Amino acid sequence: QMNVQVTQEKEEVVKINSLMSQLALCKDLDSVVQTFLDQTFQLISKPVLLLTHVPSHLAFMATHAAGIDKAQLKNIGLNLKHIDPKDYLQKIADPQSLEPLQKLMTDYFKAQKYLAVAVEDDQGISAYLVVMDEIQDVSMRRLLDSFISIFKVSFINARMQKRIHDMAIKDPLTGLYNRRYFNEKIEEEISRARRTRLPVSLIYMDIDHFKKYNDQNGHPMGDVLLKMFAQVLKKTSRRNDVIARIGGEEFVIILPHTDKMGAAIKAEKLRRVIEATPFPHGEKQPLGKVSSSMGVSEYPAHCHDSEGLVKAADEALYQVKSTTRNRVCLATVPEDFQVDFEPIKVPPYEEKKK
């Protein structure tokens, strides 16, 4: 019996070390989660699921799984808005007795028995880890508990690293990329354009009469406007577009694989969406609404490098601001300008599907 026990413990140590080694190779939070779930599924041969907490929506969303068809995870989660706010934190601390989770497991996943564990970090409960069955074997349950303990540490570390990384490249107010990241990305996109001979365009914009808005409504409302403005930019842009806040009320959008006409059309659509959005206190603005002026430039049509791309768009924006505002202006081609190459023709810019 002692020999059997020693052998089991050795096997457990080998499996634990293997998990730790694989998690150590993961470079981001998603790979940490998926690696753990895959290894756990191989260990116990039971489906495992991660539900990520979305505090702003009082919900948990299914984001990762192993042993479950990915199509089953689409739009699946827990809506907890019915819970009294006073009891919310206490209720979600015990996922095993949470009724919406019980219903999800039994009605949707057909799992009559399951194990649910809350994963916490310094900001509270981040996720639920769910094993879709009971583990009867004592040694297997002990090994699973060890796996879960290791995962919790790796998960917290990965979340912290992501937070530190985001702090370095993102604007804390709007959540958009900051000037530092924009400067790096614009260089990358110009280099990629040279290699692929596909154009890259830039929209340079600011909020019209933002100083007046701040003076009339106060800086806290100005911050609200900036956040809402940023959300409009996010919702109307493609996944590979790079949106950054580079000044107080100045924003830029890098549009890879987009020529100047596609960028101008995108900018005009965006301008119309902005002026039609009911931002708070917009009626007090000089134009009777919150609006934006935009300048558009393209590489290689208007410049030879990233500095020229930004300068061309900035000068086009200045043309708008010095006249009517709430308009889009396409940069002009400098006299005797010679393009670096003739770009490959690209399809029209497509708006992000709602």
Side-chain angles (χ1 to χ4, degrees), residues 19 22 31-44 48 65-67 147:
L19 174 65
Q22 294 195 48
S31 59
V32 166
V33 172
Q34 198 58 55
T35 296
F36 168 76
L37 294 181
D38 291 341
Q39 291 296 305
T40 303
F41 178 62
Q42 288 181 26
L43 176 72
I44 62 176
V48 282
F147 266 43

Side-chain angles (χ1 to χ4, degrees), residues 11-26:
E11 290 175 355
E12 289 177 15
V13 170
V14 169
K15 289 174 181 177
I16 288 170
N17 286 340
S18 175
L19 174 65
M20 292 175 68
S21 298
Q22 294 195 48
L23 290 176
L25 296 174
C26 297

